[in-house]
Amino acid sequence: MSCNHTKGAQYYQMYWYRQLPGQTMERVVFTTFGTTNDFGDFSRDKFAATKPDTDRGTFTVKNVQPEDKGLYFCARCANYEAYFGQGTKLTVLEPGHYITGPTVRVLPPSPKECKSTRKTIVCVASGFYPDHVGVKWNFGEDTPRETDSAALREDKYYTITSRLRVPAEDWFTLGKKFTCTVSFFNGTHTEDYSHSIYGVKANLTGLTREKYLRITQTAKFSYGVLIIKSSVYGAFVALLVWKLQSSAGKQND
């Protein structure tokens, strides 16, 4: 793995860290330009690091094993602050497992969201190995979305889901396209796998969302008025009966 500092900047130190699955980040080696590397508790038989000049450095994992799977980071220090790179993901293919691209499906919103101002569109990528994937949508970054932080392992393969929350008026626009694209690194290059669904004009009753909300609100109001009228009428009848009973009682006396 290689790491480059800002070109021309005189940073003489470089640090290499690793983060194994489910564990915290730990420093493997500290390198300084022109001096011996400090591996701390780690073995030089397992790792190697070089810093040939002030701009760049390299890090090597020797004789890789499945337990070496994880994220590896480089960092440099300036004024006592550490600045990290985005990291490199290392995967060691397991015996009997073959590199397999994902199957991507985009699912429409649930009918239970009929009264919601937003619709949740779900993208599911499944059946891939290893878990070198990224998910993106054909909508602006300001549209709420949530993608699983890590792919879920199911037997030999992985699954990952992403949810996009679009305004209801977008979903109720006939023919509007919603596309989910999953990028998959197959060991040599990255391939894109996509699937799309399209917005609908109306729900199953033939009503647009706006009309449906107006009708339900009107119905609620009418029902409330009916309840009030019924209560008033019931009170009037009760009062009338009470008066009749009082009159009958006076006549008997």
Side-chain angles (χ1 to χ4, degrees), residues 171-214:
W171 174 248
F172 286 115
T173 300
L174 183 64
K176 194 173 187 67
K177 191 175 183 179
F178 304 91
T179 301
C180 173
T181 301
V182 178
S183 58
F184 174 74
F185 181 68
N186 61 13
T188 60
H189 62 279
T190 299
E191 293 183 287
D192 287 340
Y193 297 79
S194 300
H195 186 248
S196 303
I197 59 173
Y198 296 87
V200 297
K201 184 177 181 180
N203 58 24
L204 296 178
T205 62
L207 299 176
T208 63
R209 176 182 177 278
E210 290 75 13
K211 288 183 179 180
Y212 173 80
L213 290 178
R214 285 200 298 269

Side-chain angles (χ1 to χ4, degrees), residues 12-118:
Y12 294 94
Q13 296 82 27
M14 181 178 287
Y15 300 82
W16 288 93
Y17 292 79
R18 75 172 182 180
Q19 185 174 18
L20 302 181
Q23 299 185 24
T24 58
M25 187 182 293
E26 55 184 348
R27 195 188 81 182
V28 178
V29 62
F30 163 57
T31 65
T32 303
F33 173 58
T35 63
T36 304
N37 299 328
D38 178 12
F39 282 90
D41 296 332
F42 290 89
S43 172
R44 292 176 179 269
D45 295 332
K46 182 65 178 176
F47 303 102
T50 66
K51 196 171 196 313
D53 54 47
T54 58
D55 293 335
R56 59 191 177 90
T58 64
F59 179 76
T60 303
V61 182
K62 304 176 184 178
N63 188 27
V64 290
Q65 300 295 321
E67 56 267 24
D68 294 321
K69 173 184 177 180
L71 293 174
Y72 291 79
F73 301 88
C74 75
R76 57 92 170 165
C77 286
N79 299 324
Y80 304 101
E81 290 187 272
Y83 296 84
F84 285 81
Q86 63 181 1
T88 298
K89 186 173 185 177
L90 174 63
T91 295
V92 182
L93 299 180
E94 303 170 41
H97 289 63
Y98 301 95
I99 296 176
T100 306
T103 298
V104 180
R105 297 293 297 175
V106 180
L107 307 178
S110 168
K112 294 182 180 180
E113 288 187 312
C114 61
K115 296 181 180 181
S116 176
T117 59
R118 284 189 175 271

Side-chain angles (χ1 to χ4, degrees), residues 164-175:
L164 182 71
R165 296 271 292 163
V166 301
E169 55 267 25
D170 284 334
W171 174 248
F172 286 115
T173 300
L174 183 64

Side-chain angles (χ1 to χ4, degrees), residues 136-148:
K136 60 183 179 181
W137 293 87
N138 66 329
F139 262 74
E141 292 301 322
D142 57 338
T143 305
R145 68 199 62 204
E146 181 183 3
T147 301
D148 296 343

